[in-house]
Amino acid sequence: MTRSISGTRHRAALLGGVALATALLVSGCGAGQIAETAAKAPSVSGVNVDSPAGSVLIRNLHVVYQGPEGYPAGGEAPLVMSLYNQSDEPVMVRITATPSAGPDNQSTLVSGSSVVFTDLTTPAVPPASPSAPASPSAAASPTATGTASPSAPAASASPTTPPAPATRPAVIEIPALGSFVISGTGDELLQVEGLNAALTPGKSVTLTFEFSNGEPPLVTTAPTGVPLSPAPRATSVTGDDGH
């Protein structure tokens, strides 16, 4: 009886030791591992570049996505970017359109005539000028029967065309150690005007950044953004015969 109890205790001790070793092995394998999602960099649509001396950082530079059709030739394309001033002095940044060059010009690179801030707020329509009073000679003359003939209806005034949205050059002042964010939405947009070709997904516009602190200009491209969600799939219509 004593041997049986002793053997049982011995086996229990062995099983407890195996369980403890297994637990330590599992915990050791899990320690130090990084989740796959934690190792991935956040996806952005745009390009990240720095000024030649690194005083200005340009992040997430891209053209706002506008469906598979993109932007037509001669139209405008809004830009998105964030600018960060790494210096202790304010910096003025001027953005202009750059003519595309090279054999890739006709395939993926698109240029524009200018880059401007466009105010999209509805401008006030100027009031119509008051109409001139009718001259006495315009009054209807009495007819033979003594009744006045009806006068011709006055010509309707032509509708007044509202003025075009106001624009200003793409010149940005970034405060010392500050930032300037262009979201591509709101009442004022930073746009590339006068596209020389259709700007569709997969193509980029070429831009030049000039800096007031004496750094050389930076020439870079702004790709067309990617959609935040996949395009809806086309649905097929079937008839009564199943085709």
Side-chain angles (χ1 to χ4, degrees), residues 28-39:
C29 292
Q33 286 190 348
I34 302 175
E36 183 179 357
T37 54

Side-chain angles (χ1 to χ4, degrees), residues 6 24 52 55 166 220:
S6 177
L24 291 175
S55 65
T220 186

Side-chain angles (χ1 to χ4, degrees), residues 44-152:
V44 295
S45 301
V47 169
N48 297 331
V49 292
D50 302 344
S51 62
S55 65
V56 178
L57 311 182
I58 304 170
R59 296 293 180 261
N60 197 26
L61 169 64
H62 67 277
V63 177
V64 176
Y65 178 77
Q66 187 175 268
E69 68 279 359
Y71 300 89
E76 299 85 25
L79 296 168
V80 169
M81 72 185 77
S82 298
L83 305 175
Y84 299 93
N85 183 6
Q86 302 295 97
S87 66
D88 296 329
E89 299 292 337
V91 177
M92 302 288 292
V93 180
R94 181 183 181 90
I95 308 172
T96 56
T98 306
S100 301
D104 205 31
N105 182 28
Q106 300 301 324
S107 58
T108 61
L109 297 182
V110 177
S111 63
S113 59
S114 60
V115 181
V116 297
F117 279 103
T118 302
D119 184 7
L120 299 182
T121 56
T122 304
V125 179
S129 58
S131 57
S135 59
S137 60
S141 58
T143 60
T145 58
T147 60
S149 61
S151 59

Side-chain angles (χ1 to χ4, degrees), residues 175-225:
L177 301 176
S179 62
F180 192 97
V181 177
I182 302 169
S183 63
T185 59
D187 294 335
E188 187 177 55
L189 300 179
L190 180 64
Q191 299 190 112
V192 182
E193 292 190 325
L195 299 173
N196 68 341
L199 183 58
T200 54
K203 295 185 177 182
S204 303
V205 293
T206 50
L207 305 172
T208 296
F209 290 79
E210 299 174 275
F211 309 97
S212 62
N213 58 4
E215 290 190 56
L218 170 67
V219 179
T220 186
T221 58
T224 304

